[in-house]
Amino acid sequence: MATLTMSRPPFGGFSFENCKRNATLEGETSKLGFSLPAARKTGTTICGVVFKDGVVLGADTRATEGMVVADKNCSKIHYISPNIYCCGAGTAADTEMTTQIISSNLELHSLSTGRLPRVATANRMLKQMLFRYQGYIGAALVLGGVDCNGPHLYSIYPHGSTDKLPYVTMGSGSLAAMAVFEDRYKPNMEEEEAKRLVRDAIAAGIFNDLGSGSNIDLCVITKGNVDYIRPHDEANKKGVRLNELEALQLTGDYKYKRGTTAVLTKAISPLDLEVVEESVQTMDTS
Amino acid sequence: MISAQAFGDPGKMKDYHYTGPVEHRFSPYAYNGGTVLAVAGDDFAIVASDTRLSEGYSIHSRDSPKCYKLTDTTVLGCSGFHGDCLTLTKIIDARLKMYKHSNNKTMTSGAIAAMLSTILYSRRFFPYYVYNIIGGLDEEGKGAVYSFDPVGSYQRDTYKAGGSASAMLQPLLDNQIGFKNMEGVQHVPLTQEKAVQLVKDVFISAAERDVYTGDALRVCIITKEGLKEQTVPLRKD
């Protein structure tokens, strides 16, 4: 079978050929008056904190497309390995695919070493991938877990830099959440105190940042146990009247009567089915 | 977006050079969000707005209603750039006073609408960045709604939504009040209770999906008895 070979010998370093193509495409479509579809960003608040026995990760659940809410209850805490979880902010597809790729590679690595994966390994794999793409993968991550060396928490930026810290926040609501952390963080907290702190930090993001909203998801990782609490707190319910004195009829009735939607044509074609086999399976109703 | 010119042959970076003075544009406008809605009935009118004032991803205020009382029978709802909303309402208040002093009577809703149109068009080439909706009672006592664009084009409607969530609310109103896309339904005239309930429900839905709408809803109900106001809490996230 003939193979196509490049006439140029391979250069070292990065190849930016697609950047030229993307810039040309963007120029061409804007001349026609269209814009390339924008990737959906999550406009998020995510955070993590190290406490006495492990780490607590928290996230809100709103996904936005521009300034319209696309998903009111999306899941932003992703599974990496049984002892490591990762919150993702930025472009939704990027955080989803990046964490899945690293989770898959980490599982293979863990089978090869025969050991439970370490958080530092996941961190190294994520940062090397994000740096390779020079920031074009818009994933800002909060990585946390417990391994043989204890609890660890990292924040990972889209260009590939990482910070290893006792408490981190990312996303559009990160300033609101960090304000809560800087006020109330203490080293070696108890689990309940750490959960309250993370819940309050995410709540600050939810109520003060327009890009974050809906519910609060929590993930508590300790040695040998993971509590994935979704939702931990339903901070906002639709149309709940806070005044109990008002009538119980919360909202009007908008059901349509049958026939409200016009039926233009109706065509019924019966399907000829023949019974091939009839079997009875008893249910265990004891 | 990195421009195509920055990359020459693959593997080689172009020489960096200083391009000279760079122009930074100052924008005289800001977008402060907010949604306004007005409905006209047989003998009443309702003007409702949310009370959130935002800019970018932040909230300036959770209690900044966008309904402004002009007379006993007319309320103006304006959303868009808050600076222009404030100046516009100041100008309208002054013009109402001037009219009252020279003509010895209060301006009617139709007259206020016509005047607002001329005020907006006088700034045709540096517009007031405001989406206006006037709700009130006309000279016969029937409900009237007038909707405007930023440069003064206006028309009388039965119902209109304006502002950030207007695209979400208007189709719902077209269906429930205008009975569009429905067959075999009786066109019953809208009662005041049903209209108020509809307005509240429609804003609860808008607050779900529009980030700029939320916090609280201010409903102003205009009847020949006068003006009544209700405040209903909405989602705060």
Side-chain angles (χ1 to χ4, degrees):
Chain A
M1 190 177 111
T3 49
L4 218 60
T5 49
M6 291 285 282
S7 53
R8 226 182 278 127
F11 278 97
F14 301 108
S15 163
F16 289 107
E17 274 169 14
N18 279 344
C19 299
K20 211 167 164 178
R21 175 206 72 177
N22 291 346
T24 325
L25 272 175
E26 188 156 325
E28 275 174 21
T29 50
S30 65
K31 245 188 288 190
L32 294 168
F34 305 115
S35 60
L36 293 169
R40 183 196 295 181
K41 304 180 94 236
T42 53
T44 306
T45 309
I46 50 172
C47 68
V49 96
V50 174
F51 69 102
K52 196 169 83 172
D53 307 313
V55 301
V56 180
L57 300 174
D60 74 303
T61 62
R62 172 183 283 181
T64 50
E65 240 172 74
M67 291 319 249
V68 176
V69 176
D71 190 346
K72 291 188 271 190
N73 197 202
C74 74
S75 172
K76 300 186 190 179
I77 306 183
H78 309 285
Y79 167 89
I80 302 276
S81 77
N83 60 325
I84 304 173
Y85 279 74
C86 185
C87 310
T91 311
D94 287 343
T95 59
E96 190 71 46
M97 296 312 297
T98 303
T99 49
Q100 280 178 354
I101 289 171
I102 264 63
S103 167
S104 163
N105 289 345
L106 204 60
E107 187 174 342
L108 290 170
H109 184 261
S110 164
L111 287 165
S112 165
T113 61
R115 296 181 168 95
L116 199 65
R118 301 188 191 187
V119 189
T121 318
N123 176 52
R124 191 56 80 102
M125 292 164 105
L126 284 162
K127 70 152 57 173
Q128 285 179 346
M129 175 180 172
L130 291 174
F131 182 75
R132 192 163 16 110
Y133 285 91
Q134 285 293 290
Y136 282 99
I137 294 188
L141 310 166
V142 167
L143 175 74
V146 179
D147 58 25
C148 54
N149 292 98
H152 303 280
L153 183 66
Y154 293 88
S155 62
I156 306 169
Y157 292 83
H159 283 264
S161 65
T162 63
D163 292 307
K164 186 177 193 314
L165 292 164
Y167 56 98
V168 290
T169 64
M170 297 283 253
S172 58
S174 62
L175 269 67
M178 186 53 90
V180 175
F181 275 171
E182 289 291 6
D183 186 29
R184 284 161 42 189
Y185 171 80
K186 295 189 309 288
N188 292 110
M189 284 184 287
E190 294 297 329
E191 179 174 325
E192 282 311 309
E193 204 186 342
K195 279 164 74 172
R196 257 197 312 274
L197 181 61
V198 169
R199 184 251 161 232
D200 287 344
I202 300 291
I206 284 177
F207 290 112
N208 299 104
D209 175 44
L210 295 178
S212 315
S214 295
N215 314 322
I216 299 167
D217 288 350
L218 236 55
C219 186
V220 185
I221 311 172
T222 50
K223 193 174 175 65
N225 184 50
V226 169
D227 263 333
Y228 192 95
I229 314 169
R230 175 177 153 81
H232 173 256
D233 199 336
E234 272 193 47
N236 294 280
K237 284 209 181 61
K238 175 174 179 172
V240 176
R241 297 248 181 95
L242 300 174
N243 183 2
E244 292 93 20
L245 293 172
E246 294 196 79
L248 278 181
Q249 172 88 21
L250 291 177
T251 54
D253 186 22
Y254 299 102
K255 261 208 174 66
Y256 289 152
K257 276 201 295 288
R258 197 178 278 273
T260 307
T261 306
V263 177
L264 298 175
T265 49
K266 208 195 267 191
I268 303 174
S269 36
L271 296 171
D272 280 323
L273 299 171
E274 56 176 75
V275 180
V276 176
E277 188 197 311
E278 204 176 303
S279 65
V280 176
Q281 266 188 340
T282 47
M283 248 170 45
D284 184 8
T285 50
S286 55
Chain B
M1 196 70 205
I2 299 180
S3 69
Q5 289 80 37
F7 302 101
D9 300 304
K12 284 196 234 157
M13 283 264 280
K14 270 220 164 138
D15 296 322
Y16 179 77
H17 58 276
Y18 178 58
T19 45
V22 184
E23 186 187 355
H24 296 285
R25 293 253 51 174
F26 160 72
S27 169
Y29 296 114
Y31 186 63
N32 297 114
T35 310
V36 185
L37 164 53
V39 177
D42 280 334
D43 57 352
F44 67 93
I46 298 174
V47 180
S49 78
D50 73 322
T51 62
R52 174 177 283 175
L53 197 72
S54 31
E55 189 165 347
Y57 276 108
S58 311
I59 299 178
H60 281 313
S61 168
R62 293 192 197 271
D63 187 18
S64 170
K66 291 154 194 73
C67 319
Y68 298 93
K69 176 176 168 203
L70 298 179
T71 67
D72 281 328
T73 53
T74 319
V75 173
L76 170 66
C78 32
S79 68
F81 171 40
H82 192 60
D84 277 347
C85 293
L86 294 175
T87 306
L88 191 60
T89 45
K90 263 202 192 105
I91 289 176
I92 294 173
D93 275 336
R95 292 287 297 264
L96 284 172
K97 275 204 188 91
M98 282 155 62
Y99 182 95
K100 186 133 190 227
H101 291 152
S102 45
N103 300 90
N104 204 25
K105 68 176 179 126
T106 328
M107 273 185 101
T108 60
S109 295
I112 296 177
M115 180 185 73
L116 179 55
S117 171
T118 57
I119 292 174
L120 292 171
Y121 198 78
S122 71
R123 287 275 294 256
R124 170 68 179 82
F125 298 108
F126 182 11
Y128 289 109
Y129 183 1
V130 189
Y131 293 92
N132 294 291
I133 305 182
I134 289 181
L137 301 175
D138 64 8
E139 280 125 322
E140 296 162 22
K142 291 207 186 74
V145 166
Y146 297 92
S147 60
F148 296 77
D149 80 345
V151 280
S153 158
Y154 80 107
Q155 64 178 42
R156 183 168 172 175
D157 293 306
T158 323
Y159 54 88
K160 189 80 169 134
S164 59
S166 60
M168 295 184 205
L169 300 184
Q170 191 66 32
L172 187 47
L173 297 175
D174 284 337
N175 177 260
Q176 292 293 316
I177 306 182
F179 301 107
K180 302 273 166 63
N181 300 109
M182 293 210 288
E183 288 234 335
V185 274
Q186 272 191 309
H187 286 21
V188 283
L190 198 61
T191 63
Q192 189 178 317
E193 288 75 29
K194 272 210 103 191
V196 173
Q197 182 63 60
L198 180 67
V199 163
K200 289 177 183 169
D201 292 336
V202 132
F203 264 92
I204 288 172
S205 297
E208 291 284 305
R209 291 288 176 174
D210 180 35
V211 305
Y212 289 121
T213 304
D215 289 329
L217 165 68
R218 176 70 63 90
V219 187
C220 305
I221 307 165
I222 309 152
T223 49
K224 62 179 195 301
E225 275 92 48
L227 199 65
K228 272 199 303 277
E229 278 182 3
Q230 284 180 29
T231 307
V232 173
L234 292 174
R235 278 176 83 117
K236 295 184 168 34
D237 63 355

